[in-house]
Amino acid sequence: MAQMAKGRATMPKKRKKNPKSPRKQAPARSVSARRPGPEPEGRVVRVVENTGLRGSLAERYPAPLDGVKAARTGEPVEWIGSIEGSMMRHRIVLADDGTAALEQAVFVGGCLEQVLLCAWHQAGEPGRDQFEAGVLTALDDLHTTLRPILEAEVRDVCPDYNAAVLRSFREEPERHGAGMPLFGWRVLHPVGPETTWDDTVDAAAWNSSLTMSSWPDHYDHVPALQPARLARLLRDHGVPAVLCAGCGAPITDRHPRWTGIWTTPDSESGPVCGDRHAGPDAPDPVLGMFTDEEFGEPHRPA
């Protein structure tokens, strides 16, 4: 029998995109929108509009006040989707005193969501209160760092633009999610008789969705968004964020299905650090197909 040639092929790594599948996805485009606040004459041109938002809300309710009237009858007035970034939400919220506002919210995603999920497992039940308080404080600090960067982008088009100040928030875990509470930033826009949908869209708030997602690479140059800096910020606020010393991935050894093993929510890595193949100088077996190198290396905390 002729000797079969043997070789190993390393598959190229897939590019990691937003791990959540958006409920509504639509192409982004630039539109003109008024800045919310006391100066309605200011115009912001560089703002990303999602056609799903317009189709879901603006076409159903000509103005936000129409949405408020519907919300007061018990009808949910809400859009959830993404624009090549983390999940976002636009919805009418009613206060106990009957006043209405339009919430513009951005949820954590990408690397930051992975770091938080691992830290949530590391904290365990006894540390959950401290974990949540620390995350909220860290997100406020992160927003303080990022807001001038996002504001400067819009000022390339509108020199007098001032970004809205978003606040961190926490919500109950999603029904079919990981069990961790939802975290993000949001701003509440007031709704009056003359308010338009464009008045309720702050450009920097929407752009922050991209900063929360790891795959567009547009903000890779920002040190505050690098995994090591994010983990350090969280640890400074008592959140037990751990990264792998070898590959830098967020890891935990307290996941209920992988107890005692350092693993990551990244499905391409799991419990294995680095590539699953032998080094270039490692000898191949003569008759077999595998070596111990095929198992890769375990993650280890930095």
Side-chain angles (χ1 to χ4, degrees), residues 173-213:
E174 200 165 15
R175 180 178 179 184
H176 301 294
M180 181 183 73
L182 297 173
F183 295 97
W185 295 321
R186 67 182 171 192
V187 60
L188 296 177
H189 302 286
V191 178
E194 304 301 321
T195 304
T196 70
W197 287 109
D198 286 341
D199 294 331
T200 68
V201 176
D202 179 76
W206 275 153
N207 287 353
S208 65
S209 170
L210 294 178
T211 72
M212 288 293 203
S213 179

Side-chain angles (χ1 to χ4, degrees), residues 25-33 44-59 79 81-84 88 90 104 197-198 201-203 206-207:
Q25 185 78 27
R29 60 189 179 92
S30 295
V31 297
S32 178
V44 175
V45 180
R46 189 181 181 187
V47 59
V48 177
E49 176 203 23
N50 188 292
T51 56
L53 186 156
R54 306 293 285 186
S56 176
L57 294 179
E59 291 182 7
W79 171 87
S82 69
I83 309 170
E84 297 185 347
M88 301 182 290
H90 220 63
Q104 186 179 0
W197 287 109
D198 286 341
V201 176
D202 179 76
W206 275 153
N207 287 353

